Amino acid sequence: MIYTQNEATPVVQPLNQARMPEPSVSIRDYVDLLIEGRKTIFIALCSVLLVTTVYLVLAPRTYKADALLRIDKNKALLSATLRSENNQAPAEAESPRAQREVEILRSRSVLGKVVDNLNLTIETEPYFFPLIGETLARRHDAHDGIADAWWGFSRWAWGGEKLKIAAFSVPDRYLEKEFTLIALEAGRFQLLDPRGDELLAGQVGEVLNAEIGEKTPVTIKVETLEAHPGTHFELTRRTALSAIETLQKAFAVKEVSKDTDILSVELKGRDPEQLAKSVNDIAAIYVNATVNWESAEASQKLGFLESQLPIVKERLEKAEQGLSAYRQQHGAVDISAEAEILLKQASDMETLGIQLKQKYDEQSQRLESEHPDMISTNAQIKRVNNKLAALEKRIKDLPKTQQNMVSLSRDVQVNTELYTSLLNSAQEQRIAAAGSLGNSRIVDFAVTPEKPYWPKPGLLLAIAGLLGLSLGSALIFLRHSLQRHDNYPALLEYQVGLPLFAAIPHSKKQHKLGRLLGKDKDNGILVSQDPLDISVESLRGLRTTLEATLAQHESKVIMVSSPAPGMGKSFVSSNLAALLASIKKRVLVIDADMRNGRLHDTFSIGKQPGLSDLLSGRATLGEVIVSLPDVGIDLIPRGNMVLNPAELLVLGELSETLEQLKSFYNHIVIDSPPILGATDAAILGKHADATFLVVKEGRYTAQELEVSARRFQQVGIKPNGFIINDMKEGSSYYPYYGYAYQRADQEPKDESSWSDKYQAMGDWLGKQFDRELLPVPAESDERV
């Protein structure tokens, strides 16, 4: 392959892959990326904080009322069960009951009574102005009376309104439907059905009925109504079940800490007074229910014991009579030691068996036969019977007289112990039933909450701040991941085989000039508008490199191209030409993009004959060259639009024209079309001494740059290198971009003003000796 450009230009040769590992991303890279996107993060943070603030202002306030309950685990009322030392199964009351009591508190039997007592099936709410009405009403102090309507909107409530319904019943098909109550003058009101038709009108305190063609009429009694005439209220009659379910959702019961049996009863809602009443009502109903349940259970057990006492007493009397008669008949009979031991064991087993049978009978009155307690008691009875049968067998081996004595004595002893035990249990149950207080106590009653439980400004703002920072950071990383770029120039040089000539930082000034392109009479050249810009400093470095690279050429034709549009090649071409002109070089800029060239707008010269007209023969060279004395360069614009720019470049006298121009200009800068979009750049490159590819950060990939370089090489052109445009400031790869002159550095400082400030500071601090260290201002030539 034959190269027509500068063969002396060094080209980076591909290195060994093992020697050029891909750089890993460091924490510094992420920090720099976040610093670059600080505006995005700030906007996201402010947006989230603004939304949160609006929510804090407009959100309805939720209050929480709570009470404390104590659950007693060991109650004498339930622990006085019939058992002996051999039957020490734990009673139901001795096991922890906190979890079971939680479910009882949340049961419909408890909450249903609360709904009935507090009339929670009736819901009322004023009509508030959309969005801000409830917030304004909440800020109004109820002690100041009823707020006046804003802007004359008397339909809505603005604060201080009160409505209390004593009774409200509707037919079943109107349950959960919204009725409308309108306040009238002199304590009167009007009730509208869900369709907006009038049902009735009446006075506060009266019971009013309205027939609507149903079996059940609409009945209402308004107890309290305080509102301006015309104020609307929403009125709904709910079913008892839905009211209970709503209460269950807002109701929470939890154990304060493990194994303390202290329950916290909490209820959340929007009416603080109603919340306190509801919680206290729930606690009172629950405690009363436990007292009733314990009293009923004690009465049931006492009844069972009293029914067994006459039976056991009769058995005891018969046993004593039998033993007395046997002794009178046979005289005193000595019982051997073995018979005495068997007597005691048999009497204990028989007593235990009778107690277990009584327990089984008592359980059968409230439990099913498949219940685990019933099964366990039955198994104990069988084991006792088996032991008693074994003892009976041993007793039969004794002499007949001793057998009878043991049997009679055992009956007396068993019935005596059983009768004594029943008497004691009955007496305990009488005492317990007389003083039963249940197994629950109210430790703390609920009070009306003063501050809302939700929303919590501190917590929400903290979460919003973290969310805003996270959202902004996520947007930065997402945008970065979606961009097409290779951030490591060294790796890019290795992959493409081209050296990096310059990395031009982002310029805020150029961004403003781009928006004014074609609208301002001044040119859009950054070098002219802001010669101290950081991007201009980078372009000066490019100029220095080009001067050294092309030093052996008498005339230097420089072509600037790019892989695709929007990379900034025109920006590089125009500003590079202006910098070359600033060192007393004769420079010509040719806008060779005859399709979309815009250099005439950049230099604010308007459309006129240009390169297309010159190559097509419609204009001469002198007619197309435009002198720009403000910038110090000459320009050949693109000219009129043509359909065949590539043919013009081939058939036109481009080579002769460039040779003619070389004799007058030191540098000719050609702004060519993108190489991947048209073949014009490949044609123009054959006449250039140096070719550069401009890519924009975030808009390119190594593959695009490599394909562009290969496209040039296919036609015998060897690109000299590439330029990265619009690099973000603060990048860790180019930290030296932070160094640049500022306008403030070029402005002279007023020493006298600084002297006055330091003098005033010294006087304020009382350090008079500092005056000697301050510069003395020059004396004025003026005389008074």
Side-chain angles (χ1 to χ4, degrees):
M1 182 179 294
I2 300 176
Y3 294 92
T4 61
Q5 298 192 40
N6 181 18
E7 297 291 342
T9 302
V11 178
V12 177
Q13 299 297 328
L15 303 177
N16 186 0
Q17 179 70 23
R19 297 182 182 180
M20 184 62 71
E22 184 173 355
S24 59
V25 180
S26 64
I27 297 178
R28 173 66 183 274
D29 300 334
Y30 290 119
V31 173
D32 290 336
L33 186 61
L34 293 176
I35 293 176
E36 292 173 10
R38 57 187 177 273
K39 289 185 178 179
T40 302
I41 297 176
F42 180 74
I43 292 173
L45 176 61
C46 292
S47 300
V48 175
L49 288 177
L50 178 61
V51 172
T52 304
T53 303
V54 173
Y55 172 78
L56 289 174
V57 173
L58 299 181
R61 280 7 183 196
T62 301
Y63 296 85
K64 181 178 73 172
D66 55 1
L68 287 181
L69 295 177
R70 176 187 173 186
I71 309 300
D72 293 332
K73 292 193 296 185
N74 299 317
K75 292 283 294 179
L77 173 64
L78 298 178
S79 62
T81 55
L82 301 175
R83 61 185 184 273
S84 65
E85 294 180 359
N86 296 326
N87 181 26
Q88 293 293 337
E92 183 181 13
E94 292 178 349
S95 60
R97 304 183 57 178
Q99 296 301 321
R100 188 185 69 179
E101 301 304 320
V102 168
E103 299 303 323
I104 294 176
L105 278 164
R106 295 179 55 86
S107 64
R108 288 193 296 270
S109 61
V110 174
L111 299 184
K113 294 181 180 179
V114 177
V115 170
D116 295 337
N117 294 344
L118 301 180
N119 212 9
L120 298 182
T121 55
I122 302 174
E123 291 187 353
T124 61
E125 185 176 6
Y127 280 22
F128 293 111
F129 191 81
L131 296 180
I132 63 173
E134 187 173 357
T135 302
L136 296 175
R138 184 173 60 248
R139 293 180 176 275
H140 177 74
D141 190 352
H143 296 88
D144 296 335
I146 304 172
D148 295 332
W150 285 45
W151 309 299
F153 293 132
S154 59
R155 171 189 178 91
W156 289 282
W158 299 96
E161 293 80 8
K162 294 181 180 179
L163 174 62
K164 185 175 181 181
I165 306 297
F168 181 53
S169 60
V170 297
D172 292 343
R173 71 187 187 96
Y174 284 99
L175 292 172
E176 308 292 342
K177 300 292 182 65
E178 296 179 2
F179 289 76
T180 302
L181 188 144
I182 304 175
L184 302 177
E185 296 180 354
R188 295 182 59 80
F189 65 90
Q190 183 181 17
L191 184 65
L192 307 181
D193 64 8
R195 295 175 297 180
D197 299 331
E198 182 180 353
L199 286 178
L200 52 86
Q203 189 75 25
V204 174
E206 297 179 352
V207 178
L208 303 175
N209 297 321
E211 297 291 341
I212 56 175
E214 300 285 341
K215 295 181 179 180
T216 303
V218 175
T219 303
I220 186 171
K221 179 182 179 182
V222 179
E223 183 175 337
T224 303
L225 175 59
E226 297 179 7
H228 288 302
T231 305
H232 287 53
F233 293 86
E234 179 184 313
L235 184 60
T236 306
R237 178 64 163 82
R238 306 185 61 186
T239 63
L241 181 59
S242 65
I244 292 173
E245 291 176 350
T246 302
L247 191 59
Q248 286 177 334
K249 292 178 182 178
F251 183 59
V253 185
K254 60 182 179 181
E255 194 172 5
V256 175
S257 59
K258 189 176 180 181
D259 296 333
T260 59
D261 291 312
I262 302 295
L263 299 182
S264 175
V265 181
E266 300 177 353
L267 186 62
K268 299 175 184 177
R270 298 172 59 179
D271 189 346
E273 295 182 0
Q274 185 72 25
L275 288 176
K277 293 179 181 178
S278 299
V279 172
N280 290 331
D281 205 17
I282 290 173
I285 290 174
Y286 166 73
V287 171
N288 292 335
T290 56
V291 171
N292 295 335
W293 293 336
E294 302 294 357
S295 298
E297 187 174 358
S299 299
Q300 183 180 5
K301 290 184 177 182
L302 181 59
F304 173 77
L305 293 174
E306 290 179 345
S307 65
Q308 294 294 319
L309 278 174
I311 299 175
V312 175
K313 183 178 180 180
E314 184 180 356
R315 291 177 182 173
L316 176 60
E317 292 175 352
K318 290 182 179 180
E320 289 176 347
Q321 292 175 2
L323 178 61
S324 177
Y326 186 80
R327 284 180 174 176
Q328 291 178 1
Q329 182 180 359
H330 297 85
V333 178
D334 294 333
I335 301 177
S336 63
E338 180 183 3
E340 188 173 354
I341 293 174
L342 292 176
L343 173 61
K344 186 176 185 316
Q345 292 178 351
S347 62
D348 290 342
M349 286 295 104
E350 189 170 357
T351 302
L352 180 58
I354 294 174
Q355 290 178 346
L356 290 175
K357 289 180 181 179
Q358 291 177 343
K359 181 180 179 181
Y360 185 85
D361 294 338
E362 187 270 333
Q363 289 177 342
S364 63
Q365 296 180 6
R366 53 187 177 90
L367 301 176
E368 298 292 337
S369 59
E370 294 81 6
H371 194 275
D373 292 345
M374 296 285 290
I375 297 175
S376 175
T377 304
N378 195 20
Q380 293 177 7
I381 292 174
K382 291 181 179 180
R383 288 195 296 270
V384 170
N385 290 337
N386 292 334
K387 292 181 180 180
L388 188 58
L391 292 173
E392 291 284 355
K393 185 177 181 181
R394 293 178 61 186
I395 290 174
K396 290 181 179 180
D397 295 336
L398 296 174
K400 186 66 174 176
T401 304
Q402 291 189 4
Q403 288 183 24
N404 294 333
M405 283 295 298
V406 168
S407 178
L408 293 173
S409 299
R410 183 184 67 186
D411 291 341
V412 173
Q413 186 174 355
V414 167
N415 286 288
T416 300
E417 292 180 359
L418 185 58
Y419 184 70
T420 303
S421 176
L422 286 175
L423 283 176
N424 293 333
S425 297
Q427 186 62 27
E428 290 175 357
Q429 290 296 333
R430 292 189 185 96
I431 296 173
S436 177
L437 295 177
N439 68 316
S440 303
R441 303 285 188 278
I442 298 178
V443 179
D444 285 334
F445 286 92
V447 296
T448 302
E450 298 178 355
K451 296 182 179 180
Y453 169 77
W454 186 264
K456 298 180 179 179
L459 177 62
L460 287 180
L461 289 176
I463 294 176
L466 294 176
L467 182 60
L469 295 175
S470 302
L471 179 61
S473 303
L475 290 175
I476 294 299
F477 288 118
L478 178 62
R479 184 179 63 186
H480 180 73
S481 64
L482 295 178
Q483 288 178 342
R484 306 170 62 196
H485 54 68
D486 291 285
N487 278 336
Y488 299 94
L491 179 61
L492 191 61
E493 290 178 339
Y494 164 76
Q495 292 177 341
V496 180
L498 294 176
L500 174 66
F501 267 70
I504 304 173
H506 173 76
S507 172
K508 298 179 181 179
K509 180 68 175 179
Q510 180 61 32
H511 181 68
K512 296 179 180 178
L513 292 175
R515 290 186 297 178
L516 298 175
L517 192 63
K519 301 178 181 179
D520 199 342
K521 295 182 179 180
D522 295 333
N523 63 71
I525 303 302
L526 184 62
V527 173
S528 301
Q529 300 295 331
D530 192 358
L532 299 179
D533 191 85
I534 189 172
S535 299
V536 177
E537 292 298 327
S538 179
L539 288 170
R540 287 193 177 99
L542 176 62
R543 179 190 64 185
T544 303
T545 305
L546 289 178
E547 285 293 310
T549 303
L550 304 178
Q552 67 273 28
H553 288 267
E554 295 180 357
S555 181
K556 296 87 178 180
V557 179
I558 305 170
M559 188 182 76
V560 180
S561 184
S562 62
M567 297 290 184
K569 58 181 180 58
S570 298
F571 165 76
V572 175
S573 302
S574 57
N575 285 275
L576 178 61
L579 287 173
L580 290 171
S582 67
I583 57 174
K584 306 302 181 182
K585 299 290 184 179
R586 295 188 302 275
V587 182
L588 172 68
V589 179
I590 300 177
D591 188 355
D593 190 355
M594 291 179 281
R595 293 178 174 84
N596 298 310
R598 298 294 302 277
L599 285 183
H600 59 278
D601 289 336
T602 303
F603 291 99
S604 301
I605 61 173
K607 292 184 179 180
Q608 60 186 49
L611 182 61
S612 62
D613 302 285
L614 176 64
L615 296 179
S616 62
R618 295 193 299 268
T620 63
L621 187 60
E623 294 175 344
V624 298
I625 296 179
V626 181
S627 180
L628 302 172
D630 294 340
V631 186
I633 65 174
D634 293 341
L635 170 68
I636 297 180
R638 74 177 189 187
N640 295 311
M641 185 72 66
V642 293
L643 300 177
N644 56 345
E647 286 75 6
L648 285 179
L649 293 174
V650 174
L651 300 177
E653 297 179 353
L654 178 62
S655 178
E656 293 78 0
T657 302
L658 289 176
E659 290 298 329
Q660 184 179 356
L661 294 171
K662 286 179 182 180
S663 62
F664 182 76
Y665 293 101
N666 300 114
H667 296 286
I668 300 174
V669 180
I670 301 177
D671 183 10
S672 74
I675 181 62
L676 298 182
T679 188
D680 300 7
I683 299 173
L684 291 167
K686 296 179 181 180
H687 306 284
D689 299 318
T691 300
F692 296 96
L693 287 169
V694 178
V695 292
K696 185 176 183 180
E697 186 186 30
R699 293 281 303 278
Y700 73 94
T701 62
Q703 290 76 12
E704 288 179 342
L705 192 57
E706 185 177 4
V707 171
S708 301
R710 190 179 299 115
R711 186 72 59 85
F712 278 117
Q713 292 175 359
Q714 289 173 353
V715 294
I717 303 171
K718 181 167 61 177
N720 294 65
F722 66 96
I723 301 168
I724 299 180
N725 184 35
D726 201 28
M727 290 287 290
K728 299 297 184 296
E729 293 185 38
S731 173
S732 60
Y733 313 117
Y734 301 99
Y736 47 82
Y737 284 155
Y739 178 81
Y741 293 108
Q742 303 294 332
R743 292 189 181 274
D745 299 333
Q746 308 301 320
E747 297 177 357
K749 298 180 180 179
D750 187 359
E751 295 184 358
S752 62
S753 62
W754 284 105
S755 177
D756 294 340
K757 294 179 180 178
Y758 282 119
Q759 184 71 31
M761 183 180 295
D763 294 341
W764 182 73
L765 294 175
K767 298 179 180 180
Q768 301 297 331
F769 61 91
D770 285 349
R771 297 178 179 177
E772 300 177 359
L773 301 178
L774 298 174
V776 180
E779 295 182 0
S780 175
D781 293 336
E782 298 180 359
R783 297 289 184 268
V784 178

